[in-house]
Amino acid sequence: MQQAVSDAMRRRVVISSTIGNALEWFDFTVFGLFAATISKLFFPAGDPLASLLSTFAVFGLAFVARPLGGLVFGLYADRYGRKAALVAMITMMAIGTGLIGVLPTFESIGIAAPLLLLLARLIQGFSAGGEFGSASAMLIEFAPPGRKGFYGAFQTVSQALAFALGALLAVALGKTLPAADFASWGWRVPFILGILIGPVGWYLRRRCDESPEFQAYLAERAASAAPAKRTPLGQLFAEHPRELMASFGLIAAGTAIYYVGGVFLPAYAASELKLPLADAQLGLLVVSLSNIPLGLASGMLSDRIGRRRVIVPALLLYPIFYVLLFKQLVAEPSTAHLWQLQTVGLILGVLGGALPAFMTEIFPVGVRATGASLMYNLGVMLFGGLAPFINTWLVQVTGDKSAPVYYILFAAAVGLLGIAMYRERA
């Protein structure tokens, strides 16, 4: 039997989960938004596109560590509890974020600078690996009956907050600082702020109780005299292949859309289309703020009509509008057309509102954090983290400035295929 949970504890869980997940996305957001500056400082080259490509390669390589971190922290959360895993992860994330803020540049220490940058990104990638699965499990396991979609949507809120805060800082620093000061120290400010966010999240997570569903699972496991037939990882792959495929497909689609729109597009608009970077960052800020209430409304709607009826229309509509408006932007580059394209990100808010609850509740408690974390990070690594690099490479190799639309179409198809393969269990 699960113990009663107070409203105060639920609020504490929501706040601590949101802050921790926001820290993860905040770092990845500002790294992408400042990619043009970082490329000049850490990867100086004669060709700006080549420098940007190297920066996006480091951005993407950090995602190689995420599946390993997801597996390690997911298994840890499923064995020892969500709380312990979440406390460890936010500590490591703050260290990696702060390290980027104090790194010397290529001009100061040569090749050691990009190597240390890669190390910091790998630390962040490993620690962020278990964040989605563990935090999502914590949220839906504390949710009152019939409100798992709404509580899970706070994952989307945290991501939107991170994008909004990152874009706000980028716009503020870019508008108020002279170019020389921004290149010298201004770009470091958001990363150093990450050091301050970390202890706040650590304190809040330490004060949370363990998930009531997980405590009930532990009690049931302790009372059972029968030995486990398989390890948690073996059970996951043997008994839940459709759940794994559905999770991977949806995350592949969602993160490809997120990273193309939030990381690749601002840098691409500035470097290739010669539009003001601050305008792209401002558009991202407005869309991200709008996605906060939109994501919560989407989560609530999914509680009423079901997750599929929210997710599938979003996956169908997003690529259609993105293709049309991206081609318009390339044909006639302007800030107005850029902002029109960025408003398609509102559909992503709808998708993201229902996605966290769907991805976690389809797995049983004993393998929930591992399953969600592993598939989340494989999807993010292959379709999200490498998206800026692949899209920049596609434009460079093909000479077609509209090449990114094919990436979006492919990712959306993978998401639709994943959810089509899933069948609900009794």
Side-chain angles (χ1 to χ4, degrees):
M1 180 180 294
Q2 294 182 23
Q3 63 183 18
V5 179
S6 68
D7 290 339
M9 181 54 65
R10 286 197 175 101
R11 285 193 295 270
R12 190 176 299 166
V13 167
V14 167
I15 292 170
S16 66
S17 297
T18 302
I19 288 177
N21 200 46
L23 176 59
E24 172 200 342
W25 285 86
F26 173 77
D27 161 68
F28 284 78
T29 301
V30 294
F31 191 95
L33 289 174
F34 294 161
T37 300
I38 293 172
S39 67
K40 297 173 185 176
L41 297 174
F42 289 86
F43 301 96
D47 180 7
L49 190 59
S51 294
L52 187 62
L53 199 61
S54 298
T55 304
F56 280 146
V58 169
F59 182 84
L61 282 172
F63 287 78
V64 176
R66 289 183 68 136
L68 179 59
L71 181 60
V72 170
F73 282 117
L75 289 170
Y76 185 84
D78 282 335
R79 183 170 182 83
Y80 298 105
R82 319 319 190 190
K83 174 182 174 179
L86 288 169
V87 169
M89 283 185 287
I90 199 168
T91 303
M92 189 177 291
M93 174 59 74
I95 292 171
T97 301
L99 181 59
I100 294 179
V102 298
L103 280 181
T105 63
F106 187 92
E107 185 180 7
S108 301
I109 60 173
I111 192 64
L115 292 177
L116 287 172
L117 181 66
L118 176 60
L119 174 63
R121 295 289 298 146
L122 290 173
I123 292 172
Q124 291 172 329
F126 185 84
S127 61
E131 180 70 32
F132 178 89
S134 300
S136 296
M138 191 80 157
L139 284 167
I140 72 161
E141 289 171 4
F142 267 95
R147 303 195 71 192
K148 292 184 183 295
F150 175 70
Y151 271 65
F154 278 95
Q155 280 281 17
T156 300
V157 168
S158 66
Q159 295 168 12
L161 281 173
F163 270 91
L165 181 57
L168 179 62
L169 282 171
V171 170
L173 292 168
K175 292 288 189 183
T176 59
L177 291 179
D181 288 344
F182 181 83
S184 174
W185 58 268
W187 68 273
R188 298 179 182 273
V189 171
F191 296 101
I192 294 174
L193 285 176
I195 305 176
L196 305 177
I197 298 173
V200 175
W202 180 89
Y203 173 76
L204 290 172
R205 287 184 171 183
R206 288 280 297 175
R207 296 186 64 221
C208 289
D209 291 339
E210 184 51 79
S211 151
E213 279 191 40
F214 184 76
Q215 291 187 53
Y217 162 74
L218 286 181
E220 181 181 345
R221 189 174 68 181
S224 175
K229 295 180 180 180
R230 296 187 177 96
T231 64
L233 198 58
Q235 178 188 352
L236 190 62
F237 282 96
E239 300 176 14
H240 305 284
R242 287 183 179 271
E243 287 84 348
L244 292 172
M245 288 186 288
S247 296
F248 175 81
L250 289 172
I251 286 300
T255 56
I257 293 169
Y258 249 115
Y259 282 94
V260 170
V263 178
F264 166 77
L265 184 59
Y268 173 78
S271 62
E272 280 293 300
L273 304 181
K274 310 305 178 186
L275 297 175
L277 179 60
D279 289 348
Q281 294 166 342
L282 181 60
L284 179 62
L285 170 62
V286 173
V287 171
S288 298
L289 288 173
S290 301
N291 274 340
I292 294 173
L294 192 59
L296 291 174
S298 172
M300 293 174 66
L301 181 63
S302 76
D303 284 329
R304 294 178 64 87
I305 68 173
R307 320 290 182 220
R308 285 177 185 268
R309 293 182 180 178
V310 175
I311 291 171
V312 172
L315 283 176
L316 289 171
L317 290 174
Y318 188 93
I320 294 173
F321 284 107
Y322 196 89
V323 168
L324 294 174
L325 294 177
F326 195 97
K327 287 183 175 293
Q328 173 185 265
L329 173 64
V330 170
E332 300 177 39
S334 69
T335 295
H337 287 162
L338 173 62
W339 285 346
Q340 287 177 20
L341 175 61
Q342 288 179 308
T343 59
V344 185
L346 296 174
I347 300 176
L348 186 58
V350 176
L351 173 66
L355 196 59
F358 177 88
M359 278 198 58
T360 46
E361 67 188 358
I362 61 176
F363 294 104
V365 177
V367 294
R368 179 171 289 162
T370 305
S373 294
L374 188 58
M375 290 300 101
Y376 175 80
N377 288 290
L378 283 173
V380 168
M381 179 184 72
L382 296 175
F383 284 82
L386 293 176
F389 174 83
I390 291 173
N391 282 275
T392 305
W393 177 80
L394 282 173
V395 172
Q396 186 180 51
V397 169
T398 64
D400 181 5
K401 292 185 177 181
S402 297
V405 301
Y406 305 111
Y407 188 82
I408 291 294
L409 286 170
F410 177 67
V414 171
L416 289 167
L417 179 63
I419 198 167
M421 297 182 71
Y422 173 67
R423 298 290 184 271
E424 290 187 20
R425 297 173 181 268

